[in-house]
Amino acid sequence: MSIRDATKVYAAKTGPVRALEGLSVDVREGELVCVLGPSGCGKTTLLWALGGLHELTRGQILVDGVAVKGPRPEVMGFIFQDANLLPWRNLRQNIEFPFEIKRRPVDAVRIESLLAETGLAGFETAYPRELSGGMQQRASIVRALAQDPAVLLMDEPFGQLDAFTRDEMNLLLLRLWSETGKTIVFVTHNISEAIFLSDRVVVMTPRPGRLARIFEIDLPRPRTIEMTFEPGFIALIQEIKRTVETGGRRTDVEVS
Ligand SMILES: Nc1ncnc2c1ncn2[C@@H]1O[C@H](COP(=O)(O)OP(=O)(O)OP(=O)(O)O)[C@@H](O)[C@H]1O
Ligand SMILES: [Mg+2]
């Protein structure tokens, strides 16, 4: 997947809003990339463009060399900050919903194994209001993976969860990722989460979002929560935090 000169200007009532500016990144197949940046820097704007949910003002997104023109749910699965489960449908009916829309036979075997893997087996007939936030988000992951898309686009999916549940979900995501080999683009403003998950962290500047810097994360896998307490990990948090604050500009050579 290739992001080339991605630029987006929204036409708001109050005038044009420059949300993204000339961002170029290549995402390798099977890679887990986190896009990190402060609130309002254009992360969701970028993810929507990746998923073909809106058009760029300039630049393009290529998937397997083909320009993205609109949504392709069979190739790209979306997971949002809210699980977006339909309250009047039980867990299984929610997971089967995309199959119904596409008029495709339900992949019961795949769903079964995903439910087991995510600890949701036995909750198939429960309604969303009966499930915890973490369980709802796991259900939305199962719903996306049941479609077997090549790419998963995730927009701060664990942002509303408590720290313990977030750790659990991150470990689960890494397990699912290593088993399925999906390409994952994961948006977050949590530095530690980004490092913990990523092969590479793409750091964006404040609005309009430009590329500040790309960090290769060469921590060994499988990763454990204990790693997040190690000095190397904490040093990396500080370095990335500085990059976010300075927008990737070298401050050490500035003259006052
Ligand atoms: N439809 C729209 N019309 C006008 N401006 C918009 C629209 N959508 C987003 N924006 C503006 O574009 C900028 C980038 O928004 P975006 O939602 O992509 O940021 P973000 O990095 O995802 O932020 P957050 O971390 O808070 O989710 C913001 O200033 C936002 O107000
Ligand atoms: Mg956002």
Side-chain angles (χ1 to χ4, degrees):
M1 193 157 49
S2 182
I3 303 163
R4 303 242 176 106
D5 192 28
T7 301
K8 178 80 179 175
V9 183
Y10 289 109
K13 283 197 196 79
T14 48
V17 179
R18 287 162 60 219
L20 260 186
E21 185 81 42
L23 192 124
S24 298
V25 180
D26 285 330
V27 179
R28 303 164 197 143
E29 200 177 328
E31 190 178 25
L32 200 167
V33 171
C34 282
V35 176
L36 177 79
S39 183
C41 78
K43 303 182 296 296
T44 297
T45 300
L46 175 66
L47 210 65
W48 276 48
L50 285 174
L53 301 183
H54 66 189
E55 277 181 28
L56 289 170
T57 311
R58 195 181 76 219
Q60 57 179 354
I61 314 282
L62 303 174
V63 176
D64 288 332
V66 181
V68 171
K69 290 267 182 271
R72 287 169 67 198
E74 68 289 353
V75 181
M76 305 231 206
F78 248 102
I79 294 165
F80 302 94
Q81 185 161 15
D82 293 308
N84 291 317
L85 302 176
L86 300 171
W88 58 89
R89 293 187 143 226
N90 69 28
L91 183 78
R92 172 171 288 281
Q93 292 164 337
N94 265 289
I95 290 164
E96 292 178 352
F97 189 56
F99 290 96
E100 288 172 29
I101 294 176
K102 295 176 194 164
R103 298 174 194 277
R104 276 180 32 207
V106 170
D107 189 341
V109 176
R110 194 176 168 78
I111 293 175
E112 200 78 22
S113 94
L114 284 167
L115 286 172
E117 185 105 44
T118 53
L120 288 173
F123 291 93
E124 291 85 346
T125 57
Y127 283 84
R129 64 174 179 279
E130 301 171 300
L131 303 170
S132 70
M135 291 168 92
Q136 293 188 30
Q137 207 45 287
R138 277 183 267 156
S140 94
I141 293 174
V142 172
R143 183 179 53 192
L145 284 176
Q147 302 298 312
D148 203 16
V151 180
L152 273 188
L153 304 173
M154 307 182 73
D155 195 354
E156 306 201 37
F158 310 141
Q160 287 173 11
L161 304 176
D162 64 82
F164 300 105
T165 312
R166 180 188 277 237
D167 283 350
E168 246 173 59
M169 296 298 291
N170 282 332
L171 288 167
L172 172 66
L173 178 65
L174 287 183
R175 206 172 66 233
L176 291 170
W177 173 64
S178 70
E179 285 165 10
T180 57
K182 304 286 178 208
T183 305
I184 299 181
V185 180
F186 186 107
V187 160
T188 179
H189 52 231
N190 185 303
I191 301 177
S192 170
E193 178 176 66
I195 300 169
F196 181 70
L197 293 173
S198 291
D199 293 323
R200 289 186 302 157
V201 178
V202 173
V203 180
M204 289 171 67
T205 67
R207 187 165 70 85
R210 295 193 181 89
L211 179 64
R213 198 173 143 191
I214 298 177
F215 287 83
E216 294 268 349
I217 311 297
D218 41 23
L219 295 171
R221 295 188 188 272
R223 296 194 179 154
T224 61
I225 299 300
E226 287 67 41
M227 287 179 187
T228 64
F229 306 122
E230 285 167 14
F233 194 98
I234 290 164
L236 200 49
I237 292 181
Q238 285 166 339
E239 195 181 350
I240 294 183
K241 189 160 188 294
R242 258 195 312 276
T243 304
V244 172
E245 282 161 1
T246 60
R249 289 187 305 275
R250 304 255 324 260
T251 47
D252 52 344
V253 291
E254 273 172 20
V255 252
S256 51

